[in-house]
Amino acid sequence: MSPSDGTAKADIAAVHKVDAAASAPSPPPTAPPAFVPKPLPLNLLYALTSVVAAVMQGLGTSLISLNLQQIAGPLEATQNEAAWLMAAYLFPNASLGLFLFKVRTQYGIRKFAELAIIPFVIVSLLHLWVNDLSLSIVLRFLAGAAAAPISSISFLYMLEIFPPEKKLNIGICLALIGLSLPTPVAGLISPQLLDFHGLQGLYVVEMGLALVVFCLIYMLPLTSPPRAKVISSMDYVSYALLAASMGCLAIFFTMGRLYWWLEVNWLAWVLICGIVTGTLCIMLELNRKNNLIDVRWIGSWEIVHFAGVLLVFRMLLTEQSTGAINFFKQLGLLNEQMAGLYWLILAASVVAGLLCATVMKPGREAAIHLAALVLIAIGSLMDSYSTVLTRPEQMYISQSLFAFGSGLFLPPAMAVGFAAALKKGLTYIISFIAVFLFTQKVGAFIGSALFGSFVTWREQYHSAILTSRLLPTDPLVNLRISQYTAAYAHSSADTALQKVQGTTTFAKQVQQQAYVLAYNDAFFATFLCAVAAIALLLLHVLWKNRDRFMGAANSPQTA
């Protein structure tokens, strides 16, 4: 799963009820329109619009993250410089969905959908004429802002086809299926696009999907609930501070691992800016009557627990998005050699979403979460036994389990959190979206940064140990270096150069072994985190139902 999925996942099922319940200083809203069932072919078109929009909004950043090495070349940039494309995209995308919820409430869903797709089409079109890194970074910033409403639209179109009582179970599950597709789809199509059309081929596909969604949105209007005036002038100030805070955190955690945390001073200033603006936003919201987000409610134990669960889970998912894929790239594999793995991840995500839609009912959330965490723990434990000879085929089962667990976990958590906020009114809905965006977006940044930094640290550790044990006087070491040296005899007659090349190849092999051991440590650490999450979940269930368990234990004695 890519970091861009989080915005859309906050636009949940009972959107029609939310708009009707808006507690803004405006005339009392009328009842939302009654649900009118649509014919099956029309429902399928709405579902298709949702899936295509979901893939479109996340495809661009997934294509860049999976092909950073190939993209850096045409832009005449290093990999660290090319990584700014991802940071620029995430800066506005991390928080804009929060404010767009109010925009949609005040101006109507139909107008929101019809106008929101236009900037994305324009930005996608502009990409075709840009081959410069600086301009590409600017366009990726605009693309991140333009993609935020598209993820909301993908949710709304899927929810449109279900009656209110099914929006919070079947609707959420099916909408999340679409949002899990961009990364595997990007891995499947990018090799051919780069081979035949280069960097422009990636942008052409993104623009083509944008035009398809543009047509579908104008052909298939969404039902507009009653509007309510909910935006005040101070909302712009609060959102500006919140956007600056989350954007700076996105840059810090995205670029910190690449430039390394303590090596450049500007990283510290970015973090300071994020903390200061976030603090100012909280101070402002605590002193507002009609606030943008309810900080006191967010600080309650129930919401802190909810946010902690989502944050831990989002960080666990980096084992697949950051761990397994980068592990194979470290071994020299390309996306075309991982096509089978991407297909299985895609299939497992779809099946998990369909199964979750079938079994998800109130009261089953803990059982579904337990099953998801068990699958994630098993998958990460299996991955921790990898070697330099491991290929995608050996991870088919483990990564399928991981994708399946990911597809099971999020829908119940979203349904419970959103239903709790829905009962309290519009302000709490927006506060829930803020919590959800923080856990999914910032959780993705933190998870990726921690996983990558842990791998780098452990690689240095294992490299030091391996190097200390590979002595020049060891006959096996000399034999291996001699074999690598002999391999260059046909390409150079200079024996000294052959020796240098052979020694360099041997050192690279040692470093590769160190990286494999480091990734195994990271996979095992993910397993331990999943086990800890399982233990905490079981303790929470026992504590929550302690009266029932105690009553059952005492009933035989009473009898």
Side-chain angles (χ1 to χ4, degrees):
M1 296 179 68
S2 68
S4 62
D5 295 345
T7 302
K9 296 172 185 174
D11 294 288
I12 317 288
V15 62
H16 305 295
K17 294 182 180 180
V18 175
D19 294 323
S23 57
S26 59
T30 58
F35 174 76
V36 179
K38 298 178 176 60
L40 179 59
L42 193 58
N43 282 339
L44 293 177
L45 284 176
Y46 273 86
L48 176 65
T49 304
S50 172
V51 172
V52 176
V55 172
M56 180 196 70
Q57 62 85 29
L59 188 63
T61 186
S62 296
L63 288 170
I64 291 175
S65 63
L66 291 177
N67 301 279
L68 201 59
Q69 296 177 349
Q70 295 91 326
I71 289 174
L75 294 176
E76 299 179 355
T78 64
Q79 289 193 47
N80 285 2
E81 292 171 342
W84 279 101
L85 296 172
M86 297 172 55
Y89 180 94
L90 293 171
F91 189 99
N93 190 263
S95 59
L96 189 55
L98 169 68
F99 192 71
L100 289 176
F101 186 89
K102 274 199 167 185
V103 173
R104 193 175 67 236
T105 303
Q106 180 158 321
Y107 296 102
I109 290 178
R110 182 177 299 178
K111 183 180 294 185
F112 170 81
E114 292 175 349
L115 295 179
I117 186 62
I118 297 176
F120 196 96
V121 174
I122 295 174
V123 172
S124 299
L125 187 63
L126 291 175
H127 274 95
L128 299 180
W129 287 279
V130 173
N131 290 311
D132 175 72
L133 178 63
S134 300
L135 291 177
S136 295
I137 291 175
V138 173
L139 286 181
R140 292 318 296 172
F141 177 89
L142 298 176
I150 305 305
S151 53
S152 304
I153 290 171
S154 70
F155 241 99
L156 295 172
Y157 269 90
M158 185 62 74
L159 301 179
E160 179 76 12
I161 64 180
F162 293 103
E165 64 272 12
K166 294 184 178 180
K167 291 182 185 294
L168 284 177
N169 45 33
I170 299 178
I172 286 180
C173 295
L174 296 185
L176 288 176
I177 290 177
L179 294 169
S180 66
L181 300 182
T183 298
V185 170
L188 290 170
I189 67 174
S190 59
Q192 291 77 16
L193 292 174
L194 289 172
D195 287 345
F196 294 104
H197 305 287
L199 181 59
Q200 298 302 317
L202 305 181
Y203 295 142
V204 168
V205 170
E206 190 176 24
M207 186 192 68
L209 288 175
L211 292 174
V212 170
V213 174
F214 178 84
C215 296
L216 289 172
I217 285 176
Y218 278 86
M219 289 173 55
L220 305 170
L222 289 167
T223 301
S224 291
R227 305 177 187 179
K229 184 174 176 54
V230 294
I231 300 177
S232 65
S233 58
M234 289 303 297
D235 285 340
Y236 295 99
V237 179
S238 295
Y239 172 71
L241 293 171
L242 181 64
S245 177
M246 295 187 69
C248 288
L249 290 176
I251 292 176
F252 177 78
F253 287 112
T254 302
M255 307 305 296
R257 179 176 61 88
L258 301 176
Y259 288 91
W260 204 245
W261 310 102
L262 303 178
E263 295 298 319
V264 290
N265 293 331
W266 62 263
L267 273 174
W269 289 111
V270 169
L271 179 60
I272 291 171
C273 181
I275 294 174
V276 170
T277 52
T279 303
L280 291 175
C281 179
I282 292 174
M283 293 173 59
L284 178 62
E285 289 299 293
L286 285 173
N287 292 279
R288 289 184 60 193
K289 183 177 180 181
N290 297 318
N291 45 21
L292 179 66
I293 54 176
D294 192 326
V295 178
R296 293 182 177 85
W297 182 69
I298 290 176
S300 64
W301 164 248
E302 180 184 6
I303 301 304
V304 169
H305 171 259
F306 172 77
V309 170
L310 289 181
L311 187 63
V312 170
F313 174 72
R314 190 65 188 86
M315 294 170 65
L316 287 176
L317 292 186
T318 56
E319 195 270 2
Q320 185 170 76
S321 59
T322 301
I325 303 301
N326 288 345
F327 169 78
F328 287 122
K329 289 183 177 180
Q330 189 64 45
L331 294 179
L333 275 67
L334 301 176
N335 284 324
E336 53 263 38
Q337 296 167 291
M338 294 184 279
L341 183 63
Y342 287 127
W343 277 115
L344 283 175
I345 292 174
L346 190 151
S349 300
V350 172
V351 173
L354 295 175
L355 177 63
C356 192
T358 304
V359 302
M360 193 174 79
K361 293 181 180 179
R364 295 182 178 178
E365 294 84 5
I368 296 175
H369 285 169
L370 179 62
L373 288 172
V374 168
L375 292 175
I376 291 173
I378 294 173
S380 55
L381 181 62
M382 293 173 65
D383 289 343
S384 67
Y385 292 96
S386 303
T387 68
V388 291
L389 299 178
T390 299
R391 293 298 178 264
E393 291 77 9
Q394 282 76 57
M395 283 195 180
Y396 279 176
I397 296 177
S398 61
Q399 290 301 303
S400 296
L401 292 175
F402 218 97
F404 200 90
S406 173
L408 286 179
F409 190 95
L410 202 53
M414 288 183 62
V416 171
F418 193 85
L422 183 64
K423 297 176 182 178
K424 293 181 175 290
L426 179 64
T427 301
Y428 295 91
I429 297 294
I430 298 176
S431 300
F432 167 78
I433 294 175
V435 172
F436 195 86
L437 288 177
F438 179 84
T439 58
Q440 296 304 291
K441 293 290 184 180
V442 178
F445 310 151
I446 296 175
S448 179
L450 289 178
F451 195 97
S453 299
F454 184 82
V455 168
T456 301
W457 168 56
R458 295 301 292 177
E459 184 274 330
Q460 295 294 321
Y461 170 79
H462 288 296
S463 289
I465 293 179
L466 293 175
T467 304
S468 66
R469 295 177 179 177
L470 297 174
L471 302 177
T473 57
D474 190 332
L476 292 177
V477 173
N478 287 323
L479 176 61
R480 184 56 60 90
I481 293 177
S482 299
Q483 291 172 343
Y484 288 135
T485 301
Y488 291 99
H490 300 289
S491 60
S492 175
D494 189 341
T495 55
L497 180 59
Q498 294 174 18
K499 183 71 172 179
V500 171
Q501 291 175 324
T503 304
T504 302
T505 302
F506 180 75
K508 289 181 179 179
Q509 293 296 320
V510 173
Q511 186 182 42
Q512 190 179 68
Q513 291 282 358
Y515 265 113
V516 170
L517 293 173
Y519 273 102
N520 284 344
D521 292 344
F523 294 148
F524 191 74
T526 303
F527 163 74
L528 293 179
C529 291
V531 171
I534 291 172
L536 291 175
L537 175 61
L538 293 176
L539 288 175
H540 174 71
V541 171
L542 290 174
W543 179 257
K544 188 176 180 180
N545 298 278
R546 61 189 182 278
D547 294 335
R548 188 176 66 181
F549 289 131
M550 293 295 293
N554 295 331
S555 57
Q557 300 177 5
T558 305

